[in-house]
């Protein structure tokens, strides 16, 4: 089996909210996998992903009360206070994902397993799901997935384009723990994001501690404290 992957991850400001407002936090990921007796002529899968931030999310952050509070603090050179550190971190969160998956010679059992996973998702999200399997003629051997989170990250719209079917999930609620897993932020790894949620906003690593408590459903942010040892 041969696997290759590349990722373009931006270097973002962690302590300067005004600079963060002008930065582009978008990420791009490309991956390829080949396997079989002869990898060159066996099964092949390629994935292209782009993760970015919508204009709605940017406006949500720009108009947030703590954004204005941070701007005033920065005028006094107090950009390390909790309001600034928190809003700066949240300003780098992404909310629009697009994936294109192309495949060749995939084993039927893998195709069946993938469809079973979709059936489970369809069952779980039935109230929010719609499908079209009539007169659909999308590109063969290709799957497109788009995920658009609401500006406050409380819900998401998901669309799937398969060769012979289209499916959508509208206003799908995003559970608290799922939010910490799915909302990508180049500043924080997935273990940090899960740690925030699982440990009530406190997460310890060997060399530093970061505290992040988020409650966007109430339109409030608490502070972040970062201690480097």
């Amino acid at each position: 089996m041969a696997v290759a992957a590349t990722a373009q991850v931006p270097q973002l400001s962690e302590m300067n909210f005004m600079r963060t407002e002008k930065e582009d936090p978008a990420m791009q990921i490309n991956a390829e996998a080949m396997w079989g007796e002869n990898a060159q002529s066996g099964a092949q899968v390629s994935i292209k992903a782009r993760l970015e931030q919508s204009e709605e999310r940017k406006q949500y952050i720009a108009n947030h009360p703590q954004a204005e509070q941070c701007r005033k603090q920065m005028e006094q050179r107090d950009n390390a206070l909790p309001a600034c550190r928190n809003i700066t971190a949240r300003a780098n969160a992404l909310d629009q994902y697009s994936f294109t998956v192309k495949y060749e010679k995939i084993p039927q059992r893998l195709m069946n397993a993938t469809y079973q996973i979709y059936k489970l998702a369809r069952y779980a999200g039935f109230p929010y799901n719609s499908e079209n399997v009539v007169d659909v003629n999308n590109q063969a051997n290709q799957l497109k997935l788009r995920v658009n989170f609401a500006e406050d990250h409380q819900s998401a719209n998901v669309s799937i384009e398969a060769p012979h079917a289209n499916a959508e999930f509208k206003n799908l609620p995003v559970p608290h723990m799922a939010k910490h897993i799915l909302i990508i932020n180049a500043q924080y790894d997935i273990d940090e994001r899960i740690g925030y949620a699982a440990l009530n906003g406190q997460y310890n690593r060997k060399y530093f501690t970061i505290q992040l408590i988020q409650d966007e459903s109430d339109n409030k942010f608490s502070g972040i404290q970062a201690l480097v040892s």
Side-chain angles (χ1 to χ4, degrees):
M1 183 175 185
V3 178
T6 60
Q8 297 179 9
V9 180
Q11 296 293 321
L12 302 171
S13 301
E14 297 186 21
M15 300 289 290
N16 190 320
F17 175 60
M18 291 184 180
R19 183 182 300 168
T20 298
E21 288 190 288
K22 300 176 183 179
E23 293 176 329
D24 182 5
M27 302 169 58
Q28 294 190 65
I29 301 171
N30 297 315
E32 293 184 0
M34 298 179 290
W35 69 94
E37 293 184 5
N38 185 334
Q40 296 297 326
S41 60
Q44 300 181 28
V45 175
S46 67
I47 301 173
K48 292 186 177 181
R50 180 170 176 81
L51 299 83
E52 53 193 342
Q53 189 177 83
S54 67
E55 288 299 322
E56 291 79 6
R57 175 66 181 179
K58 292 177 182 177
Q59 288 300 314
Y60 176 82
I61 293 295
N63 296 329
H64 194 277
Q66 282 207 346
E68 182 61 28
Q69 182 182 0
C70 176
R71 294 186 188 101
K72 292 179 180 179
Q73 290 175 349
M74 291 189 68
E75 291 176 358
Q76 304 299 320
R77 298 185 179 181
D78 288 333
N79 56 312
L81 294 177
C84 272
R85 299 182 71 170
N86 197 5
I87 198 69
T88 301
R90 303 322 305 166
N92 291 325
L94 307 175
D95 65 333
Q96 288 191 339
Y97 308 161
S98 63
F99 302 86
T100 299
V101 182
K102 295 183 178 181
Y103 51 89
E104 295 283 350
K105 301 178 182 178
I106 299 299
Q108 189 60 45
R109 63 181 181 276
L110 180 57
M111 298 287 285
N112 293 341
T114 302
Y115 182 65
Q116 292 302 318
I117 293 173
Y118 168 70
K119 286 176 64 177
L120 290 174
R122 181 178 60 186
Y123 177 79
F126 176 76
Y128 313 95
N129 175 245
S130 63
E131 288 184 334
N132 177 24
V133 295
V134 179
D135 296 327
V136 176
N137 190 25
N138 294 328
Q139 184 171 330
N141 298 331
Q142 178 174 282
L143 180 70
K144 288 188 175 182
L145 172 67
R146 295 182 180 87
V147 182
N148 296 326
F149 290 93
E151 60 189 24
D152 60 0
H153 295 164
Q154 299 302 310
S155 63
N157 294 334
V158 180
S159 66
I160 303 171
E161 293 182 12
H164 302 294
N166 294 325
E168 286 188 324
F169 294 85
K170 290 283 191 179
N171 299 317
L172 190 66
V174 182
H176 178 70
M177 182 61 75
K179 185 190 308 182
H180 287 269
I181 296 172
L182 298 175
I183 301 298
I184 305 300
N185 188 321
Q187 288 180 276
Y188 302 107
D189 295 332
I190 188 170
D191 64 321
E192 295 175 275
R193 300 196 304 270
I194 294 175
Y196 300 147
L199 301 178
N200 195 29
Q202 300 186 27
Y203 181 69
N204 296 309
R205 299 187 73 175
K206 183 176 181 181
Y207 297 109
F208 59 89
T209 299
I210 297 177
Q211 294 182 339
L212 171 61
I213 304 173
Q214 175 188 358
D215 188 1
E216 290 190 292
S217 61
D218 291 334
N219 205 32
K220 296 177 181 177
F221 292 91
S222 69
I224 295 178
Q225 293 183 334
L227 305 176
V228 181
S229 58

